Amino acid sequence: MSTEQNTRAAHGPAEEGANVSESGPAILVLEDGRVFHGRSFGATGETFGEAVFNTGMTGYQETLTDPSYHRQIVVMTAPHIGNTGVNDDDPESGRVWVAGYVVREPARITSNWRAERTLDEELRRQGVVGIALTGTRALTRHLRDKGVMRAAISTTETDPRALLERVRQQPTMAGADLAAEVSTGEPYEVLPPEGVTARFHVAAVDLGIKAMTPQRLAERGCRVTVLPSTATAEEILALDPDGVFFSNGPGDPATADGPVTAMRGVLDAGRPLFGICFGNQILGRALDLGTYKLPFGHRGVNQPVIDTRSGRVAITSQNHGFAVEAPLDEPFDTPYGRAEVSHIGLNDRVVEGLRLLDRPAFSVQFHPEAAAGPHDAAELFDAFVDLMSAQPAPAAK
């Protein structure tokens, strides 16, 4: 059992109604020896993970419940977190996935008509250790300059040197194969809402899927069968889907050999294919492209991306620490015909999308379901539907 799991088991659900005022000292230690002192927020205990920062000013509940943050300690750059509390309608999954949570100033009052409990209550209920510290700006600048790194939050260990030794014993995110740890164990279906006719059947491979993604497809007339991350090409194609979707997820794409093999089988079959985030990296690997770890990644709801064909700029939601290596300025050859980079990040010219020119397949590195713009990237779901509309229906079995 991991340290994170030990923390959750030891600190279990907290009683409802507690507030943030009862807190003791806490420390955050980075693997390079940098130490930050603050106050306990959420559950007490200690936790380990990769320290990353998120620049979003809103959406903290969606961040906490995004499986892509598995094994990461998330630092929020917005100064006030928790103002709108927590409800049971907005989570992207059935639990909080972050390993730890760092905020500057937790909201003292929850003020929203949809709130069902405070953020502090929710973190303690789910056993998530957090820290409130005034130095989140300094911490973010340090991670930006030095790169994301392993870290720990503790409310029980007072000696930073002792904690540092254990931080350096933790596994790194590079080489981590995590999709199976966050994926569904059994297939399930998401149906179109009342009044919307199911026109297409989509097989969605869950590498860490967020709840809103199949809902966006369902709104467009898709019956979505969500499959475990271990699904093979044979299992996917046995459903006779009109299209196949590969989701976001955590970990190093270089380790995801199973999903890469499955995607190659889907490409061989010529079925329309759409991937986001981790799915974009899986498509890159399926095309024999390389992947690499970014110094500090892209995490937030304000990432500008340009469409290489139209020149249109979209403000996107992103959460990734790895990227695809590909030629930015011209089409290139792959085992599945020619392909091109469809989107480029304007901050650092990172590959933000891939498009095959000879097969019905494309992917993006950002999250079009997250409505960051608020609707800048929603058309990508329509593009996937258009791909399925243009293809002959799968043969009935």
Side-chain angles (χ1 to χ4, degrees):
M1 181 178 288
S2 68
T3 304
E4 178 188 348
Q5 291 170 325
N6 276 324
T7 299
R8 296 184 188 278
H11 298 284
E15 293 183 5
E16 298 287 327
N19 57 60
V20 75
S21 60
E22 299 294 330
S23 62
I27 58 173
L28 183 147
V29 177
L30 299 175
E31 71 170 281
D32 67 355
R34 186 78 181 265
V35 179
F36 293 83
H37 294 269
R39 305 290 294 178
S40 173
F41 176 55
T44 57
E46 61 185 32
T47 190
F48 298 82
E50 180 185 59
V52 301
F53 60 87
N54 182 300
T55 58
M57 296 182 68
T58 61
Y60 60 81
Q61 187 171 349
E62 289 85 349
T63 294
L64 288 166
T65 55
D66 180 352
S68 295
Y69 281 112
H70 179 43
R71 256 182 53 184
Q72 292 181 321
I73 294 174
V74 178
V75 182
M76 300 300 293
T77 63
H80 295 90
I81 298 295
N83 305 58
T84 56
V86 173
N87 62 59
D88 291 328
D89 296 323
D90 293 341
E92 290 288 2
S93 66
R95 55 165 282 191
V96 171
W97 281 102
V98 303
Y101 205 44
V102 184
V103 301
R104 184 185 190 278
E105 185 175 340
R108 299 177 184 178
I109 298 174
T110 293
S111 179
N112 187 279
W113 67 273
R114 299 174 68 231
E116 298 176 52
R117 52 198 169 273
T118 69
L119 175 58
D120 185 58
E121 288 170 352
E122 182 68 2
L123 294 179
R124 286 192 281 134
R125 190 174 75 93
Q126 297 207 34
V128 179
V129 178
I131 184 172
L133 53 87
T134 57
T136 52
R137 182 176 177 83
L139 173 56
T140 300
R141 288 172 64 92
H142 188 74
L143 295 175
R144 186 192 64 188
D145 294 342
K146 305 297 183 181
V148 298
M149 62 188 77
R150 293 168 294 179
I153 302 171
S154 180
T155 66
T156 56
E157 178 60 73
T158 59
D159 182 1
R161 291 171 298 181
L163 196 57
L164 177 60
E165 290 182 11
R166 285 187 286 147
V167 167
R168 291 174 174 171
Q169 294 170 4
Q170 302 302 310
T172 63
M173 191 60 68
D177 187 4
L178 302 179
E181 296 182 16
V182 302
S183 178
T184 181
E186 298 291 335
Y188 63 91
E189 285 200 339
V190 178
L191 301 177
E194 185 176 353
V196 177
T197 301
R199 298 182 296 141
F200 303 103
H201 180 204
V202 173
V205 180
D206 175 9
L207 305 173
I209 200 167
K210 298 197 294 184
M212 188 56 67
T213 308
Q215 291 180 32
R216 291 287 186 247
L217 290 168
E219 292 167 359
R220 290 163 170 79
C222 298
R223 174 171 64 91
V224 183
T225 302
V226 181
L227 300 171
S229 64
T230 54
T232 64
E234 292 75 18
E235 291 168 336
I236 295 168
L237 296 172
L239 299 175
D240 275 333
D242 298 290
V244 181
F245 173 80
F246 282 77
S247 81
N248 61 290
D252 186 344
T255 67
D257 294 339
V260 170
T261 299
M263 182 177 284
R264 285 173 174 160
V266 173
L267 290 171
D268 287 334
R271 295 293 168 91
L273 185 147
F274 178 29
I276 67 169
C277 197
F278 202 66
N280 178 67
Q281 297 159 14
I282 298 303
L283 179 57
R285 283 201 56 202
L287 301 180
D288 285 343
L289 300 172
T291 59
Y292 64 99
K293 197 174 192 303
L294 294 165
F296 50 82
H298 303 157
R299 297 175 180 87
V301 295
N302 50 4
Q303 304 286 331
V305 168
I306 189 168
D307 186 312
T308 57
R309 284 189 177 179
S310 68
R312 178 174 175 267
V313 175
I315 302 302
T316 66
S317 175
Q318 300 194 19
N319 172 18
H320 65 107
F322 294 84
V324 174
E325 295 178 304
L328 297 180
D329 300 322
E330 59 185 6
F332 51 92
D333 294 326
T334 79
Y336 300 96
R338 293 176 306 139
E340 67 180 5
V341 171
S342 61
H343 297 79
I344 299 173
L346 289 178
N347 287 334
D348 51 12
R349 296 198 47 89
V350 164
V351 173
E352 293 284 353
L354 298 168
R355 181 189 295 114
L356 271 69
L357 303 179
D358 301 317
R359 291 180 188 247
F362 71 100
S363 62
V364 292
Q365 187 59 62
F366 47 92
H367 294 239
E369 83 292 335
H375 305 296
D376 287 19
E379 64 189 28
L380 293 166
F381 290 108
D382 299 320
F384 184 43
V385 170
D386 290 343
L387 273 187
M388 291 187 288
S389 299
Q391 300 299 308
K397 292 195 175 211

